[in-house]
Amino acid sequence: MEKHPGSLCINPHEVYSLRMLRSREKMERENMEEHNQSKKRLRVCVATCNRADYSKLAPIMFGIKSHPEDFELEVVVLGSHLIDDYGNTFRMIEQDDFDIGSKLHTIVRGEDEAAMVESVGLALVKLPDVLQRLRPDILVVHGDRFDALALATAAALMNIRILHLEGGEVSGTIDDSIRHAISKLAHYHACCTRMAEQHLIAMCEDHCRILLAGCPSYDKLLSTHHREDYMDIIKSWLGDKVQERDYIVALQHPVTTDIQHSIKIYGLMLDALLSFNKKTLILFPNIDAGSKEMVRVMRKKGIEQHPNFRAVKHIPFEQFIQLVCHAGCMIGNSSCGVREAGAFGTPVINLGTRQTGRETGENVLHVRDADTQNKIYHALELQFGKRYPCSKIYGDGNAVPRILKFLRTIDLDEPLQKTFCFPPVKDPISQDIDHILETQSALAIDLGGTNLRVAIVCMRGKVVKKYTQPNPKTFEARMHLILKMCTDAMRDAVCLNCRILGVGVSTGGRVNPQEGVVLHSTKLIQEWSSVDLRTPISDTLHLPVWVDNDGNCAALAERKFGHGKGVENFVTVITGTGIGGGIIHHNELVHGSTFCAAELGHIMVSLDGPDCSCGSHGCIEAYASGMALQKEAKRLHDEDLLKVEGMDMKLSEPITAAHLISAARMGNSKADAILNKASTALGVGIINILHIVNPSLVILSGVLASYYQAPVQRIISERALLSAQSIKVVTSDLEEPALLGAASMVLDYATRRIY
């Protein structure tokens, strides 16, 4: 080939190699760009408005900050954080080493309805510049405050994705409307409870964008409330002389839909606290309309100068946890009382309607119509110094990891426009009330002298599944079997679509239901005194546990599922192996000062009667119990005086009370005389009860109930005072009173108490 002068000679193989090299470099650059794009950090803006929402947002902020490879954190502070009268709480955010990107003074002072509206407007004027400068991928908003509504409105209009915390919950006042409005603006939701999740779904929010996380404050609360220096914290706020569980924490906010009434309740609460005469830590109310008038009431009563009171504007959350955890009582209408305090079992008195509809634990006593000082004072007497089972309705301490994982899954390329999931025309099973009633269930345990029984019981009182084993003779074997049977039942409950709310235990003997301890056992259950049942069962199953005497459980079963439903005052008498029972007075179970009320079998009806198992003699149980009748039947049988003509008795068959009843019905005069004496003893004993507590109904339960009903009714009509002679005696229709009563303790907790 002829070469042209000055031309460049290029090898074709070199050209091919060069092209391949450039192509490979281009592919590597594209792959690197794609990798960098996929590893782009999510720019998260957390906006906090006040001391309360910061306690929920701070754990998330710490979590985001600890993962700089995934997230970029921006912090915006507004609202009452920046007001001196409310403690300038933005400083605690700085002390937590967060860089505050923007501080917005958005509060218009006045503490009335107009000031709240103007504050929302001012925030809407200032927020666009901040959000445009920060350009977050997602804005995290908490709760139901008017400041949060301004944040959500601005972000939604500026096409910024919103993650709303604690949506779907229900409470009183205007907060409900604001909370639900924010939920409708938000693109994603991190809620605290299963019920809140269901509310959001019912509000047509997309289930795929709802995370059941739990409350973020519980992450810190459950991990740090067991501090060794808690007494130092308590004394730093209330003085050196204060003792654990011997002081009160008070926190009352205005109800913006009824300001004058909330001011009245606040004054009555202060009067009750002054009369109650206990050390009290009282926090200033929030900035809602009406707070200025409440502070004026507090100062008029001299609370800030009173030696029993310490009035403060702000307490760091870690210290506030310790103060609530170890308080004798918390009073007011703060959500902390119905949420965080339950995790410690701290008694709470919830005043007014601000928290109406909130899910609460057993520790909350509602005084919704707090119209007198005496009513609030009586509530203090009932609650102060008590301890309740710890409740984890609002979280298990793992909310932040769930929320961070949820944030990582957010796809910024998916359409920004929200879509709503309207329900189909056909009613889905999740909204079927019968299904809800069936799936909300209790685990019930019945500790009898012979058998140990465990059952799954639904809200309507149906025994879904029952397990029975012989009751072991030793403590260790018995506890091992209880825990194994409960664990098996919990596993089966999942397959049966039953959500177990808690565990109820019915046992013989004297029980302290407040501590969940069997104090003294009956002779039928060996090695069963001074036994803590609540702790091992709760620790194993991670559920709240209630324990009570089997007689009391029978009364509770009648109150919820039987003849006692809707009856304010009644007595249940168990006529079985022994004689027991329970008393319901003004819709409440009577326990007595040492937990031995309603030991009906040990009411003495004779000064020189037969010996009783309790060590005394002449008790009802010594005459009318199954054991007493069996003893008499054996005596007649040994004397060959039991069997009558036509009576079917096998030689190998053990003699029981049933043989005595059968012989009497077939004309055996001696058997009939024994049963008449037993019926008279039981009837006289019940007359004594009628004359003491004056119930409107007597319910006989147990294997002998059907036999005793008519004779007892006759004896009452003959021997009782005229005013008590018409009281009706009925036999129970319940097949499993002990199990149903144990379950009712759990199911009544689920529906909460009202005072």
Side-chain angles (χ1 to χ4, degrees), residues 360-398:
T360 65
E362 184 191 7
N363 63 311
V364 178
L365 181 63
H366 296 284
V367 189
R368 288 176 181 151
D369 188 17
D371 52 355
T372 66
Q373 175 189 335
N374 286 340
K375 189 179 284 188
I376 300 172
Y377 186 90
H378 185 52
L380 285 165
E381 287 184 316
L382 289 173
Q383 287 287 78
F384 187 79
K386 281 188 178 180
R387 232 55 197 169
Y388 289 92
C390 297
S391 166
K392 295 183 181 178
I393 296 173
Y394 287 94
D396 60 1
N398 297 298

Side-chain angles (χ1 to χ4, degrees), residues 9-19:
C9 181
I10 299 176
N11 190 320
H13 293 290
E14 291 178 355
V15 172
Y16 176 76
S17 299
L18 184 62
R19 286 175 178 172

Side-chain angles (χ1 to χ4, degrees), residues 126-184:
K126 293 187 174 184
L127 278 168
D129 288 341
V130 173
L131 295 176
Q132 201 159 28
R133 174 171 56 83
L134 297 178
R135 294 190 177 279
D137 295 318
I138 191 162
L139 176 71
V140 180
V141 178
H142 168 269
D144 49 28
R145 307 290 302 145
F146 57 84
D147 325 69
L149 179 61
L151 282 162
T153 302
L157 291 172
M158 295 181 71
N159 290 327
I160 296 170
R161 298 168 196 270
I162 302 164
L163 171 63
H164 183 210
L165 303 180
E166 297 187 8
E169 295 183 18
V170 177
S171 64
T173 77
I174 193 67
D175 295 353
D176 263 351
S177 301
I178 294 175
R179 186 186 309 108
H180 300 330
I182 296 172
S183 292
K184 300 317 293 178

Side-chain angles (χ1 to χ4, degrees), residues 545-562:
V545 177
W546 288 263
V547 185
D548 214 329
N549 167 270
D550 51 5
N552 289 335
C553 285
L556 292 173
E558 294 293 341
R559 184 181 70 175
K560 188 165 185 68
F561 303 114

Side-chain angles (χ1 to χ4, degrees), residues 174-218:
I174 193 67
D175 295 353
D176 263 351
S177 301
I178 294 175
R179 186 186 309 108
H180 300 330
I182 296 172
S183 292
K184 300 317 293 178
L185 293 168
H187 303 78
Y188 308 97
H189 311 273
C191 58
C192 297
T193 70
R194 181 73 63 186
M195 188 176 292
E197 180 188 39
Q198 293 301 315
H199 288 162
L200 287 170
I201 293 171
M203 290 164 62
C204 306
E205 294 298 310
D206 187 349
H207 187 271
C208 297
R209 295 189 173 203
I210 302 171
L211 171 68
L212 178 55
C215 182
S217 67
Y218 267 56

